[in-house]
Every structure is written in structure tokens, then in C-alpha cells.
Amino acid sequence: SGELQDMGLDDGGENMSIVKYLIPTRGMLGLRSEMLTATRGTAIIDSVFDSYRPKIKSDIQSRDKGSLLAFEDGVVTSFGLENAQDRGKLFVKPAEEVYKNMIIGIHQRPGDLAVNVCKTKALTNMRSATKGITVGITAPIEMSLDACVEYIASDEILEVTPTKFRMAKNPDMMGKKGKR
């Protein structure tokens, strides 16, 4: 929900377009990463505070994909990650501690999905034809503080500690789907 202020070409002769918008701060969340993705890293983005204004009535567009949530408290296992990575992109790696309803990744579809990343392989005495087949684990997405703030939705919270950033569903809003 921005207002176009000016549009033209750069005077420096570098064949660059300059576009100036007036955008509320809450509309800037996530814009930088979206612009860099859309322009394949060629956009140069600069922002300067303009003024305090009344809140714009329109809704700011939120993300279109849901979150992958930890199914239970525990320690992440490689076996659990192998199964979960088919559901979306993950933020966690093996041996990391998670708790129930902690956001551990981006679901590939709209809506949230609880996955068991703490699942351990069943120990059995039986031999299996697929026993030696292992799936590689993709590297997790490293989330910075800015990336976490951009990612969370209105029913999610961000926990900041000196060593980690953890996102989770807000326990006070669990089950209240209408509030967004």
C-alpha cells in the first residue's frame, strides 16, 4: 500500500531506473527480500523516514505459505528431518532442541502443518531391502533477526535469546483462526 512519488532514469548514465515510493513502515517488512528475489539481486533499496501519519486502513499482504511446526518437544533427529524436508524448507538441523508448536520451517502450501522432526528410526531385528538407502538432508535456512520479523504472521511470536531466534505460534491465539 504505497504511494508512487517519482519515477525516472538515473542521471549518472548507468541505465538505472529510479522509483520513489512513500510506504508505511509495516509495508516495508519483507519488501527487501521480495525485491531482491524479483530482480535477481540487482535492485538497490534505500529507505528514509518521512513522517508520522495515520494508519492506513488497507491490509498489508502477508505470506501465502504456512509454517511447519514441531509436533512435540525434543531433539531434532536426522531421520525426522528426512521425512519433514519433503513438506517444505526447514530452519532447524539435527541435534537442535525444539518445543511443541515452534516454527521449524516453511510449509510448501497454505496452512500450518505439524511435523515430527524428533522421530527416531524404529530399531528392529529384521533386515530390509531399503535399509542402506539414505536421503541427504538439505541445509537449513539461516534466519537473521530481520528475516524472522519479516516471516512471522499476526498469530506468531518471535523469541530472541543471546544465541538464537525462535519463532512459534502464539499460545494465546491458538485455535482462534478468525483473528488475523
Side-chain angles (χ1 to χ4, degrees):
S1 294
E3 242 177 69
L4 179 64
Q5 300 291 303
D6 187 22
M7 184 167 66
L9 292 173
D10 183 25
D11 296 338
E14 295 183 28
N15 292 332
M16 289 178 43
S17 299
I18 294 183
V19 183
K20 293 182 182 179
Y21 274 90
L22 192 58
I23 303 174
T25 303
R26 65 191 181 106
M28 293 291 292
L29 294 176
L31 179 69
R32 184 174 305 273
S33 58
E34 289 290 328
M35 283 289 291
L36 290 173
T37 301
T39 62
R40 296 183 180 162
T42 60
I44 299 172
I45 303 167
D46 188 29
S47 60
V48 177
F49 176 77
D50 181 69
S51 61
Y52 288 105
R53 296 187 179 202
K55 184 177 177 181
I56 296 173
K57 301 286 186 234
S58 65
D59 286 336
I60 304 287
Q61 184 181 355
S62 61
R63 68 175 191 258
D64 58 346
K65 297 186 182 197
S67 296
L68 292 175
L69 307 174
F71 178 74
E72 63 185 352
D73 298 356
V75 177
V76 177
T77 64
S78 299
F79 182 71
L81 284 180
E82 281 181 21
N83 297 324
Q85 70 186 5
D86 295 337
R87 306 291 185 160
K89 297 176 183 165
L90 299 171
F91 303 144
V92 294
K93 54 185 177 272
E96 224 173 283
E97 285 196 33
V98 295
Y99 53 87
K100 186 176 176 145
N101 292 324
M102 178 175 158
I103 298 171
I104 56 160
I106 304 168
H107 190 204
Q108 59 193 3
R109 297 192 173 100
D112 298 333
L113 178 69
V115 291
N116 191 355
V117 289
C118 302
K119 187 177 186 179
T120 55
K121 197 171 198 173
L123 299 176
T124 177
N125 208 4
M126 302 299 289
R127 293 180 187 224
S128 168
T130 60
K131 182 180 177 193
I133 299 172
T134 56
V135 178
I137 298 174
T138 11
I141 299 171
E142 295 289 329
M143 296 291 279
S144 66
L145 179 59
D146 289 345
C148 288
V149 170
E150 286 178 11
Y151 181 80
I152 60 173
S154 58
D155 64 338
E156 297 168 345
I157 57 173
L158 174 61
E159 175 187 336
V160 180
T161 67
T163 57
K164 292 185 188 225
F165 305 121
R166 291 188 198 102
M167 298 173 285
K169 284 292 176 185
N170 187 343
D172 296 338
M173 296 181 79
M174 291 297 283
K176 299 178 184 175
K177 298 281 184 207
K179 293 195 176 183
R180 284 222 171 235

